[in-house]
Amino acid sequence: QVQLVESGGGLVQAGGSLRLACVASGRYRSTISNNGMAWFRRAPGKEREFVAAIGWNGGNIRYADSVRGRFTVSRDRAQNTVYLQMNSLQSEDTALYYCAKGRGAVSGSDPTGYTAWGQGTQVTVSE
């Protein structure tokens, strides 16, 4: 079974940047190379929300309206890693960020379309 481990979170001032990474590991290392991947987040007291998704080959990229133009999702299939570059961070971006493995080659914003989740990495943006 694949394991997803996020890293790169931290405390940053508003307007700053962070780059999150999600590394997949497990018995079969190619367990995410043919799957769509996504980032979700959960802010304190709020529901989990979709942030960004990327298809198996780096295409079919989608963003939530709230992050479009500020965040960039990418992946390195050879390294079994998915990234989320976050620029112009705002206090509203404070949340626990999770990566998720999609059921198929292309994935969307519905969390039921994902079969594996990481534990999350905390992002805190201060004013």
Side-chain angles (χ1 to χ4, degrees):
Q1 184 173 346
V2 67
Q3 294 180 321
L4 303 175
V5 179
E6 303 93 338
S7 63
L11 174 63
V12 64
Q13 289 189 325
S17 298
L18 285 173
R19 189 191 196 202
L20 306 184
C22 170
V23 179
S25 64
R27 183 175 179 180
Y28 303 107
R29 294 207 53 201
S30 61
T31 49
I32 68 167
S33 62
N34 296 321
N35 295 83
M37 296 291 293
W39 290 92
F40 287 78
R41 68 186 182 185
R42 186 190 297 271
K46 295 187 177 180
E47 302 263 331
R48 178 177 53 188
E49 68 170 341
F50 169 77
V51 175
I54 186 168
W56 72 280
N57 62 352
N60 297 100
I61 290 176
R62 309 181 188 192
Y63 295 102
D65 289 343
S66 58
V67 307
R68 187 175 291 111
R70 301 186 298 121
F71 290 11
T72 302
V73 62
S74 61
R75 68 188 300 165
D76 183 335
R77 295 180 73 214
Q79 297 296 323
N80 284 298
T81 304
V82 180
Y83 301 98
L84 185 68
Q85 176 67 43
M86 306 186 296
N87 298 328
S88 302
L89 283 162
Q90 306 165 356
S91 58
E92 300 78 44
D93 297 316
T94 294
L96 188 62
Y97 284 72
Y98 304 88
C99 69
K101 172 189 171 183
R103 293 182 188 278
V106 176
S107 54
S109 61
D110 185 350
T112 64
Y114 296 86
T115 60
W117 297 79
Q119 294 296 308
T121 184
Q122 178 67 38
V123 172
T124 303
V125 184
S126 64
E127 293 291 345

